[in-house]
Amino acid sequence: MEKEKIILDVDTGSDDAVAIVCALLSDEVDVLGITTVTGNVEIRNTTDNTLRVVECCDKQDEVKVYRGAELPLASTLVPWGIQGKTLPRTEKESDQSLKVHPDHLPLPETKLKEEDKRAVPWMIETLLSMPDRSVTLVPVGPETNLALAIRSDERILKKIKRVVMMGGSHDKYAPTQGAEFNVWVDPEACEIVLSSGLDVTMVSLDATSTVSLGEEEAKAIRKIGTGPAILVADMIDQRLNASSKTMKGNEGAVVGVALHDPLAVCAVTHPEVLTDIIDTSCHVDLGRGFAYGETVLGRNYEAVYDENGEIMDLPKNVHYARKADKDLFYKWICGILLKGRERH
Ligand code: RIB
Ligand code: CA
C-alpha cells in the first residue's frame, strides 16, 4: 500500500517527541519533512529537541528539520494579552522534572542542525512540487507555520489532501477554561486553517484525554529496549511525574497521562482509532476576552436565513473527534516500536 505523505509540524514537547518517533518509524508514513514552531518551549528548543529525536531514530539522512515561526501571528501583540506573558520561555534553573515539556529532552546533545531554508518557504516549495491532493499536513502545535504558508501562497491548498491536527476542545480545557493550548497560543492561525476550505480532522483534547497511558504501559514499552522505545517510556514517565507534582491537591500519583500528538499521527493511517467523530462547524473565538482561543462548535449565523426562511447553519468545516480507542492506539505505538527493533 502506498505510504501517506505527511508534513509534521511540531512544538517538541514531550508528546510531540512520541509523535515524531511514531511517524519516523512507521512503515505506513512518508515524512517529507518536519517543521518546528514556538509553543511548549521556545523555537530554539523545539527545533533542538526535534533534531535530537530525529537522531535518536537514526533518520537524520532521510528526514530534515525546518525551523519555523518564533512567535504567533497576533496573540502576543496584545500588550495585556496573557499569551505574551505566559508563552514558555526557557528558564535558567527551573526544575525540569516538574515540567510536562522540559526545555531539553533527555537525549544526548546533537550536532545535527536545522536546514538553512525556513519552514514556511520550504513548506510552500515542497507542496507546489507535489501532485494535487497528495500531502497530509499534521500540525501538532500552534498552526502559525501552516497559516503563514496559506496566506503567502494559496496555490498550496490544492496540493493538500487533508489536515489532521491535534488541537481544539469542547468538553475538556487547558490551559484556559475555554481553550486548548495549540489553538490558544495562536488563535488567528487556527482560524485561518479552519476557514481555508481544507478537509480538516480535529483530534481534540476531548479525544486525546480518552487514551491516557500509565506506568504499566511505560514499563512494557521500555522493555522493547531500543533508543526510541526508551525515549517514549521516558516521555510517559516525564508527564506522569510532572502531572503528579503539579496537580494541586493530588492524593496520589497520576495514574495516566494523555499523549495528545501521536494520536493525530495514528489517525492519519488508522482513522478507526477515532471512535466518535462529528462533522460540524468549528471556529475560533478571536475576541480579546475570556474565551480568546476557544474552539466553538456547531453554531449558526445570527439571524441569517436560508431560502426556506430557516436559520442558516454555518458550513460543517471539520471532522471533530471526541473519543478514541486506547487499546488500538497503544497497540499501534508498540507495533511501530517492535518493528523498529527488528530493523535494527
Ligand atoms: O493541548 C495539547 C497540545 O499542547 C499538545 O500538542 C502538546 O504538545 C501541547 O503543544
Ligand atoms: Ca505539541
Side-chain angles (χ1 to χ4, degrees):
M1 187 163 89
E2 193 178 342
K3 292 187 176 186
E4 279 283 339
K5 291 184 180 6
I6 75 166
I7 292 175
L8 192 55
D9 191 58
V10 296
D11 61 330
T12 311
S14 52
D15 58 328
D16 305 71
V18 179
I20 295 168
V21 166
C22 293
L24 291 180
L25 299 186
S26 166
D27 52 18
E28 298 175 293
V29 165
D30 175 9
V31 180
L32 302 180
I34 305 176
T35 52
T36 64
V37 67
T38 282
N40 290 317
V41 289
E42 57 184 302
I43 190 70
R44 59 195 169 105
N45 295 100
T46 60
T47 305
D48 177 60
N49 285 332
T50 301
L51 289 162
R52 294 187 190 202
V53 178
V54 170
E55 190 163 53
C56 173
C57 297
D58 192 21
K59 291 287 184 181
Q60 57 275 11
D61 296 334
E62 299 161 57
V63 179
K64 302 303 180 191
V65 175
Y66 303 86
R67 179 177 171 140
E70 182 158 5
L71 285 174
L73 298 185
S75 62
T76 53
L77 298 180
V78 182
W80 59 90
I82 44 178
Q83 284 83 343
K85 297 186 182 64
T86 55
L87 256 189
R89 285 286 172 268
T90 300
E91 291 142 29
K92 296 284 172 285
E93 299 306 320
S94 64
D95 176 354
Q96 293 295 305
S97 71
L98 268 179
K99 300 180 78 174
V100 173
H101 303 291
D103 297 336
H104 303 287
L105 292 181
L107 288 168
E109 287 194 29
T110 178
K111 291 187 175 46
L112 294 182
K113 293 284 177 234
E114 71 264 24
E115 300 301 293
D116 288 341
K117 192 173 288 277
R118 288 295 170 91
V120 173
W122 172 81
M123 197 183 269
I124 293 170
E125 180 186 285
T126 301
L127 286 169
L128 292 181
S129 73
M130 299 297 288
D132 287 3
R133 306 274 179 269
S134 63
V135 181
T136 296
L137 269 291
V138 186
V140 293
E143 292 177 284
T144 318
N145 292 331
L146 179 53
L148 286 168
I150 292 170
R151 280 286 188 266
S152 306
D153 193 332
E154 78 295 333
R155 292 176 301 175
I156 67 172
L157 292 175
K158 70 175 185 300
K159 300 295 185 178
I160 297 172
K161 180 178 180 182
R162 60 195 180 120
V163 177
V164 181
M165 61 176 279
M166 192 282 136
S169 60
H170 183 65
D171 299 321
K172 298 272 180 192
Y173 311 120
T176 70
Q177 273 311 303
E180 177 278 326
F181 181 81
N182 289 338
V183 180
W184 175 78
V185 167
D186 200 336
E188 287 77 8
C190 183
E191 183 55 37
I192 286 171
V193 175
L194 295 180
S195 303
S196 64
L198 288 171
D199 178 327
V200 178
T201 295
M202 207 173 213
V203 181
S204 75
L205 215 50
D206 306 350
T208 61
S209 60
T210 66
V211 288
S212 60
L213 302 181
E215 274 184 18
E216 286 314 304
E217 288 90 350
K219 276 193 194 117
I221 287 171
R222 191 176 298 281
K223 281 200 184 110
I224 295 172
T226 60
I230 291 165
L231 174 61
V232 170
D234 284 348
M235 293 299 92
I236 295 173
D237 289 344
Q238 173 90 26
R239 295 173 71 86
L240 283 167
N241 185 44
S243 306
S244 295
K245 286 187 180 169
T246 52
M247 281 178 71
K248 302 276 177 292
N250 182 47
E251 288 311 306
V254 168
V255 291
V257 284
L259 289 179
H260 311 283
D261 298 340
L263 185 60
V265 175
C266 183
V268 172
T269 53
H270 297 272
E272 68 277 12
V273 74
L274 303 176
T275 53
D276 176 354
I277 284 197
I278 54 170
D279 288 346
T280 181
S281 66
C282 178
H283 289 281
V284 183
D285 186 317
L286 300 181
R288 298 292 188 181
F290 175 79
Y292 183 36
E294 184 170 344
T295 39
V296 182
L297 304 184
R299 291 291 191 277
N300 50 40
Y301 290 115
E302 288 305 311
V304 171
Y305 298 88
D306 63 18
E307 61 281 359
N308 307 317
E310 300 290 326
I311 283 265
M312 190 190 266
D313 282 340
L314 285 167
K316 294 181 168 45
N317 58 328
V318 301
H319 314 294
Y320 184 86
R322 299 191 292 195
K323 289 196 184 76
D325 179 330
K326 174 186 166 178
D327 290 341
L328 193 161
F329 176 58
Y330 175 58
K331 285 189 182 111
W332 171 77
I333 294 176
C334 293
I336 285 173
L337 293 171
L338 287 165
K339 272 192 191 167
R341 182 174 67 180
E342 288 157 20
R343 278 198 291 267
H344 263 77

